[in-house]
Amino acid sequence: MSTYRDRALPQALRAGGGSRGSARGTVLRTVGTRERRSHLTAPRVPTVGIDIGGTKVMAGVVDADGNILEKLRTETPDKSKSAKVVEDTIVELVLDLSDRHDVHAVGIGAAGWVDAERATVLFAPHLAWRNEPLRDALQSRLAVPVMVDNDANTAAWAEWRFGAGRGEDHLVMITLGTGIGGAILEGGQVKRGKYGVAGEFGHMQVVPGGHRCPCGNRGCWEQYSSGNALVREARELAAADSPVAYGIIERVKGNVPEITGPLITELAREGDAMCIELFQDIGQWLGVGIANLAAALDPSCFVIGGGVSAADDLLIGPARDSFRRHLTGRGYRPEARIIRAQLGPEAGMVGAADLARLVARRFRRANRRRVERYERYERYAQALRNGTSGRAARTPEDPPS
């Protein structure tokens, strides 16, 4: 695997001085948590982005313009109860891609809570990660710096850099999938909060005492506007043999568990009245939640992503109408735009790769300083071996050690 570190460091320095992984970890711990628009000066080198969910792991090499040069996809291992198995899968994908591309950094977008240092996955609902030091574990096995972040944060970054959110200074992204994820981006920075877990919008309570949520609470927003909510309502109507569910019952030949979100979307596009109504329902709840977020955050733009957003205006049209009805101060304040994400299911992967490029820039700078210090030391040592004093060995451009 060809890396900047392997090419830049002199052989004598690579041969000694402790482990490569621990040295890199020391450098990366000094990296700040804010981007400060530093993507403008990041090196234009290829990086790998990885999007990890409960069902799939997607990895791709992404260039500095957000173009995917190559993409691989595999199922999340059945033995995902073992953190090591998922880690092995990530390493295999990166090594596979590095056989054909010069990889300079790796970014991970994980479906879970990631700490503010972007090093540890605090909790992942669909994986066995509980306070998992994922960054350090991967850095000890890969010869490039690693960055870990929440998948909604990486998707929002990608949409701001390359997609629907370009030009927006105050952006909120909402990802509608199995549940609801989210991210806040302001002034070129992802707002992660004090502990790194900002943006968990799906667990705002919108109906006290409402549907039970897997998080343990009742009435969470994602129980009314998400892929799970869509499928739950359709299956309940089909199981009750509701006459409005005739079309979908016929499509699945009475096998209710075969009702899925993509099937509901397909039927809605074909004009099935019940499926259209279900999208109107979750769209209305989506608008309620967005109005609440507008009251708290006042962004200029809401970007709607995730698998459910594939329904487009079947979902976003009702959401816009509901948003206008529930917005605090409606009629007397500017309204945020509500738009669909542009980058599709690759957004999290692209954003993770681009955020990793910022780490690569800082690592290359720190690496260059280490090389310069080593070269000064070598010149000094050589001068001593030749019988020249240390003072005489310094050249005018060499600062004191």
Side-chain angles (χ1 to χ4, degrees):
M1 186 174 185
S2 177
T3 68
Y4 177 83
R5 182 183 179 91
D6 288 336
R7 293 195 306 273
L9 283 182
Q11 180 63 37
L13 185 58
R14 289 203 302 268
S19 74
R20 181 160 56 188
S22 61
R24 184 178 300 106
T26 300
V27 173
L28 291 180
R29 276 193 290 273
T30 68
V31 173
T33 60
R34 300 196 303 170
E35 287 75 32
R36 299 187 187 90
R37 298 186 181 273
S38 55
H39 64 281
L40 297 174
T41 56
R44 297 183 63 81
V45 295
T47 51
V48 168
I50 298 180
D51 185 20
I52 306 172
T55 59
K56 53 86 181 171
V57 181
M58 187 189 307
V61 179
V62 182
D63 70 14
D65 297 314
N67 300 310
I68 300 171
L69 305 181
E70 184 180 354
K71 181 176 67 174
L72 301 175
R73 177 172 175 152
T74 185
E75 293 183 357
T76 303
D78 291 336
K79 297 179 180 179
S80 58
K81 292 182 179 179
S82 166
K84 180 65 163 50
V85 173
V86 182
E87 180 188 313
D88 290 343
T89 301
I90 296 170
V91 170
E92 289 171 8
L93 289 171
V94 173
L95 293 179
D96 188 354
L97 291 169
S98 70
D99 286 339
R100 296 173 297 282
H101 303 272
D102 189 15
V103 175
H104 290 252
V106 175
I108 309 289
W113 292 3
V114 179
D115 71 347
E117 294 183 359
R118 288 179 278 174
T120 302
V121 181
L122 303 174
F123 172 77
H126 305 296
L127 296 168
W129 288 335
R130 305 292 184 270
N131 291 312
E132 180 67 24
L134 184 62
R135 185 190 69 186
D136 292 343
L138 291 174
Q139 281 175 177
S140 68
R141 301 178 63 180
L142 299 172
V144 291
V146 176
M147 183 281 310
V148 182
D149 208 339
N150 172 266
D151 58 348
N153 288 341
T154 62
W157 180 264
E159 291 291 342
W160 176 70
R161 286 273 283 124
F162 310 112
R166 281 175 293 185
E168 298 288 348
D169 279 339
H170 295 77
L171 176 150
V172 170
M173 184 161 186
I174 298 166
T175 57
L176 298 179
T178 303
I180 295 179
I184 307 162
L185 203 146
E186 182 177 333
Q189 300 174 21
V190 177
K191 298 296 185 180
R192 297 179 175 84
K194 173 66 176 178
Y195 306 107
V197 295
E200 292 294 331
F201 305 140
H203 299 289
M204 300 187 303
Q205 191 179 64
V206 296
V207 180
H211 290 295
R212 176 72 73 180
C213 180
C215 77
N217 293 326
R218 287 186 178 274
C220 291
W221 185 25
E222 69 176 38
Q223 292 304 306
Y224 299 88
S225 185
S226 67
N228 269 355
L230 182 71
V231 172
R232 181 192 66 226
E233 295 296 313
R235 288 179 177 178
E236 286 181 359
L237 287 168
D241 284 327
S242 170
V244 300
Y246 174 77
I248 202 166
I249 291 172
E250 185 178 56
R251 180 66 66 91
V252 298
K253 297 181 172 56
N255 191 356
V256 172
E258 290 187 5
I259 296 175
T260 63
L263 175 60
I264 299 169
T265 303
E266 180 185 338
L267 289 173
R269 286 176 174 157
E270 293 174 2
D272 184 275
M274 183 199 77
C275 294
I276 292 173
E277 184 176 335
L278 290 178
F279 272 110
Q280 290 173 340
D281 288 345
I282 68 168
Q284 287 170 8
W285 278 112
L286 178 59
V288 170
I290 291 175
N292 289 339
L293 290 172
L297 302 174
D298 191 29
S300 61
C301 177
F302 288 93
V303 177
I304 312 301
V308 182
S309 70
D312 207 356
D313 277 345
L314 290 168
L315 170 73
I316 295 178
R320 290 187 181 121
D321 294 339
S322 177
F323 169 68
R324 295 188 185 103
R325 288 198 306 272
H326 293 94
L327 180 63
T328 302
R330 51 193 173 275
Y332 298 95
R333 60 179 288 178
E335 290 185 6
R337 295 188 304 135
I338 301 174
I339 56 178
R340 183 187 171 193
Q342 292 180 356
L343 301 182
E346 287 86 14
M349 180 186 73
V350 171
D354 200 59
L355 285 167
R357 192 169 288 106
L358 307 181
V359 177
R361 179 180 68 84
R362 291 159 182 156
F363 178 71
R364 284 160 67 99
R365 181 182 298 166
N367 200 24
R368 186 169 60 249
R369 287 196 295 267
R370 286 200 301 274
V371 172
E372 290 170 352
R373 285 197 299 270
Y374 175 80
E375 289 173 346
R376 288 199 302 271
Y377 169 79
E378 279 294 290
R379 288 197 298 270
Y380 179 73
Q382 184 63 41
L384 290 179
R385 287 193 292 270
N386 294 338
T388 309
S389 69
R391 181 180 300 276
R394 289 198 187 110
T395 61
E397 66 272 17
D398 285 337
S401 299

